Amino acid sequence: EIQLVESGGGLVQPGGSLRLSCAASGFIFNSFAMGWVRQAPGKGLEWVSCISGGGGSTYSADSMEGRFTISRDNSKNTLFLEMNSLRDDDTAVYYCARMDGTDAYRDGFDVWGRGTVVTVSS
Amino acid sequence: EIVMTQSPATLSVSPGERASLSCRASQSVSSFLAWYQHKPGQAPRLLFYGASTRATGIPARFSGSGSGTEFTLTISSLQSEDFAVYYCHQYIDRPLTFGGGTKVEIK
């Protein structure tokens, strides 16, 4: 069974940092690009970042560029999102999702995790 | 940025009835369009990719159509498990963008 399980969410103060993880199982991890998508309270889905299967190419939404860093450890089948300089409007459920291809180019998201909650508040 | 606009925001439908959800792109996305179903507390579920290709395990009562800028998700006969929020998503260009969602609720 293909599974994505996120962890690492929690309560953090504005300006703080968090590192999210996503443990993948049930498929050949390095054959697929991966991404993060978030959903703020009462809002729709928003793309955050994605990374190619080999990890050599990464892309992020402009509002997160320079603050959020996506990475992966293919030896441990794990995806990461390092989040720095967190703001109130980063409060959201963060979903890990598999992309339907290797290059993170014109690939949709075909498998999603249940998400981890990040709350930025003083 | 390609803006995806979904309508209506909320659709009230009785079980057994047909539902049609619309998604419009601000510029052509060809067929690089996906539909997702999302229920509270659950992982979003892929319904269609390539605008009209049904994902594995998706019942035949769901259909997707369209290309370019106009897309439709149709549920031919709503079942109780179909009441959820539905999102369209373009993946032809970054930033990847989603529509605001259509909530399908019980009438």
Side-chain angles (χ1 to χ4, degrees), chain A residues 8-96:
Chain A
L11 174 64
V12 60
Q13 291 188 337
S17 299
L18 270 181
R19 189 193 201 200
L20 306 184
S21 299
C22 172
S25 59
F27 63 98
I28 301 172
F29 186 62
N30 62 11
S31 292
F32 292 88
M34 299 291 296
W36 292 95
V37 176
R38 71 183 184 182
Q39 183 175 34
K43 303 292 186 181
L45 300 172
E46 180 185 23
W47 171 65
V48 173
S49 190
C50 58
I51 186 169
S52 60
S57 298
T58 63
Y59 311 93
S60 294
D62 286 347
S63 61
M64 293 147 226
E65 192 74 55
R67 298 190 302 125
F68 291 9
T69 302
I70 190 171
S71 63
R72 63 192 296 161
D73 184 339
N74 285 344
S75 69
K76 296 181 179 178
N77 291 352
T78 304
L79 176 72
F80 301 101
L81 184 68
E82 187 78 38
M83 304 187 295
N84 298 313
S85 303
L86 283 162
R87 311 186 301 221
D88 290 353
D89 61 1
D90 293 318
T91 293
V93 178
Y94 285 74
Y95 297 98
C96 162

Side-chain angles (χ1 to χ4, degrees), chain B residues 26-98:
Chain B
S26 60
Q27 64 191 73
S28 177
V29 300
S30 184
S31 293
F32 293 95
L33 188 285
W35 287 96
Y36 303 95
Q37 178 191 68
H38 194 198
K39 298 179 181 178
Q42 296 188 17
R45 177 191 185 194
L46 174 67
L47 299 176
F48 290 91
Y49 60 94
S52 60
T53 302
R54 200 176 287 112
T56 303
I58 303 304
R61 65 181 180 273
F62 289 89
S63 62
S65 63
S67 67
T69 62
E70 300 282 343
F71 301 88
T72 302
L73 172 68
T74 302
I75 311 170
S76 60
S77 177
L78 271 153
Q79 306 298 303
S80 57
E81 61 266 30
D82 301 336
F83 292 96
V85 180
Y86 293 84
Y87 294 96
C88 62
H89 162 55
Q90 69 80 15
Y91 51 96
I92 194 173
D93 198 16
R94 287 183 290 267
L96 307 179
T97 50
F98 295 83

